[in-house]
Amino acid sequence: MIISNFKTNASFFSNTNWGISHLVWISLLAIVWLGSLGWRHLIPSDEGRYAEIAREMLVSGNWIVPRYNGYLYFEKPPLQMWANALTFQLFGLGEWQARLCTGLTSFFSILLVGFTVYKIWGRRAGTISALVLASCPLWVIGGHFNSLDMGIAFFMSAALCTLILALHAPEKSRAEQRWMLTCWAMMALSVLSKGLIGIVLPGFVLIMYSISGRDWHSWKRMHWLWGAFIFFLITTPWFVLVAQQHASFLDFFFIHEHFDRFTTNEHQRSAPWYFFIPLILVGVIPWLLHLPRAILIGFNSRKDPSNPFKPLWLCVTWVICITVFFSLSNSKLPGYIFPVIPALAILLGYSILLLLENKHQLSPLGLKLWTAQLILFGLVFFIGLFFVRNISSMGEVYEAQGYATYAKMIGVSLFIGLFGCFFAWILRRHAMKSILIFSSTMIVVALTAGTGHQIIGRLLSGYDVAQKAKPLIQKSDPLYGVRMLDHTVPFYLEHPLIMVEFKDELAFGISQEPTKWIPTIDEWMALWLANPNKKEFALMTPHLYQELLQKKLPMEVIAEDPLRIIISKPTAK
């Protein structure tokens, strides 16, 4: 009796300590992850673009029709812009506010992956998968960058995780229904994040998984009727409302922005078919030695006769299908591959779990792999210290000082990595502690190197130019973008641009409202000279400014840097 009570109490305290340690790590991660969102100024083009769209949405009060610099912008659905606009309304304008959505979605992805793996294979596997995802450099950087890619990655990964949880639950149980309907909701939010890929890619994965894994029974558990109802309930209203106001929306959004983007090189984003493979390898580089084994374990799991549902093989199928899909596209950007990283973290978490001989120690094979990994990365960080000075020679002449300082920041991150690997190596026989130290080290290294980019990113952002010009420009004063679409200055000025002889990605919006732009510089110059008493401002490149000086256009420079100049029109005295 006494012994039994003692064991029960010991188990309770063990579980309590485990829970407390997890809570402490999650809290520290949240502080570091979210607290670093404002360490950089916004850089072009995505960060400034989506922040400005949200700002204009908030100022105009029109949350249905997105506009960029006052022009219709139907390239992407509005979910993240809604989130950013709400954040601006609650907390004001700023860098961390603009990145809060990507910061939260990337952070919650870590928790969701850990929870999913915990429910399937236990708490240690869940902990390892969460640590793996949190320390993947591609996930760290993507989680601190204001683009739509992290949002779609979160909702698609949430669809994957909730599908796994639904199919793992007892058939026809409330848990199955709850998780499956959540999966449908996540796919709907994926569509509102970035378009049809939010439903097309999960559907493609499910078909290929069912064929390759011979699991057609899962189709009977999809709750098709209620799932479709939830999906269309979430997605339909916005599309209907916009289409009612703008008849050209449906053709542009579904044909031009989906099929034309996939099949043509209109946006000049072509790359070799293997473009995403090295990105994936770099994206999970801290765990690269474990990746072949993890993929092999997942691949072999498709033959498991004990369970018709094969979550590991589903994750492998997810990675392969999404990688192949985007590799076939004529439009490629690094962020497209974000959704595969959580699936790889699930595979890696399970495969590393199999290397644990008991709850504290690695098996002989596991110890060899882990020791090799720590020594390898320790050497990489050590050797990198001798080459980091080469960063100083990068960039243009006017960026030399910034790159020299950035090289020092990279050097700091390499020192952190070196000492982290050393301490993880000392504790290598205490598996979970060693993995925790290594993972935390990689998070700090990635954040230090990533946020250190602020040293050169400040110039790209145009922040200083905007702050100098902002007190002089009233909201009612015209501000022209002459042969230039700057993606960050309008946000910092809190003032959109009127485009002059330049369309770029605003071509569709300009075609719908052609009176809102000026087709040629000559027309703009005539307008500039027409009313000497009217305050007007213009943003342009230094090269164009020199051209206009030769034409003796009256101008006063109010702010400038090596990339841009803001001028005002001298008004009559």
Side-chain angles (χ1 to χ4, degrees), residues 301-308 310:
S301 71
R302 80 191 193 284
K303 302 176 183 177
D304 182 9
S306 62
N307 192 342
K310 305 168 181 66

Side-chain angles (χ1 to χ4, degrees), residues 117 121 125 129 297 312 345-355:
V117 177
W121 296 294
S129 287
I297 290 172
L312 292 174
I346 293 173
L347 291 166
L348 285 161
Y350 179 78
S351 66
I352 294 173
L353 175 72
L354 297 183
L355 294 174

Side-chain angles (χ1 to χ4, degrees), residues 302-541:
R302 80 191 193 284
K303 302 176 183 177
D304 182 9
S306 62
N307 192 342
F309 172 56
K310 305 168 181 66
L312 292 174
W313 178 239
L314 176 61
C315 290
V316 173
T317 310
W318 180 273
V319 172
I320 293 173
C321 288
I322 293 177
T323 304
V324 169
F325 178 86
F326 285 119
S327 296
L328 293 175
S329 172
N330 283 298
S331 179
K332 296 182 178 71
L333 287 174
Y336 292 176
I337 208 64
F338 283 176
V340 310
I341 305 300
L344 289 174
I346 293 173
L347 291 166
L348 285 161
Y350 179 78
S351 66
I352 294 173
L353 175 72
L354 297 183
L355 294 174
L356 293 176
E357 197 168 57
N358 55 52
K359 64 181 181 180
H360 295 299
Q361 293 183 331
L362 291 161
S363 66
L365 173 62
L367 187 59
K368 289 179 182 178
L369 275 174
W370 188 243
T371 302
Q373 176 171 325
L374 296 176
I375 292 174
L376 174 63
F377 278 94
L379 287 173
V380 168
F381 290 131
F382 179 73
I383 295 171
L385 291 171
F386 295 95
F387 292 94
V388 71
R389 68 184 66 181
N390 294 338
I391 296 175
S392 303
S393 61
M394 298 172 64
E396 303 293 339
V397 174
Y398 58 80
E399 297 175 305
Q401 183 176 357
Y403 273 97
T405 308
Y406 187 43
K408 295 177 182 178
M409 289 291 294
I410 297 296
V412 170
S413 70
L414 293 174
F415 267 115
I416 293 172
L418 179 61
F419 281 104
C421 288
F422 175 71
F423 286 118
W425 178 79
I426 291 176
L427 294 172
R428 65 192 182 278
R429 296 189 182 278
H430 299 272
M432 296 304 296
K433 292 180 180 178
S434 184
I435 292 171
L436 174 62
I437 291 173
F438 179 76
S439 175
S440 301
T441 298
M442 291 300 165
I443 295 170
V444 175
V445 168
L447 277 177
T448 304
T451 57
H453 185 266
Q454 160 68 5
I455 298 165
I456 50 181
R458 186 180 184 117
L459 174 62
L460 295 175
S461 74
Y463 175 81
D464 295 316
V465 165
Q467 292 306 301
K468 187 173 182 180
K470 188 175 179 179
L472 305 176
I473 305 175
Q474 303 301 313
K475 295 189 183 299
S476 58
D477 296 334
L479 173 63
Y480 302 98
V482 187
R483 283 187 189 164
M484 182 182 190
L485 174 58
D486 194 300
H487 293 283
T488 48
V489 167
F491 175 76
Y492 285 119
L493 286 177
E494 298 182 40
H495 199 304
L497 298 173
I498 301 170
M499 302 308 300
V500 177
E501 202 177 282
F502 194 80
K503 295 181 180 180
D504 195 40
E505 62 190 76
L506 297 175
F508 171 76
I510 290 172
S511 71
Q512 300 300 300
E513 299 171 312
T515 59
K516 288 189 173 184
W517 88 304
I518 302 171
T520 67
I521 283 187
D522 289 338
E523 291 179 64
W524 169 72
M525 290 174 62
L527 188 65
W528 185 266
L529 297 170
N531 189 346
N533 295 313
K534 184 179 180 181
K535 287 179 63 180
E536 295 182 278
F537 300 85
L539 174 69
M540 61 188 65
T541 64

Side-chain angles (χ1 to χ4, degrees), residues 163-183:
L163 177 64
I164 290 174
L165 291 169
L167 297 178
H168 177 72
E171 192 167 350
K172 297 182 179 180
S173 65
R174 292 182 65 95
E176 177 194 274
Q177 182 186 45
R178 181 174 62 249
W179 289 120
M180 192 62 76
L181 295 183
T182 304
C183 176

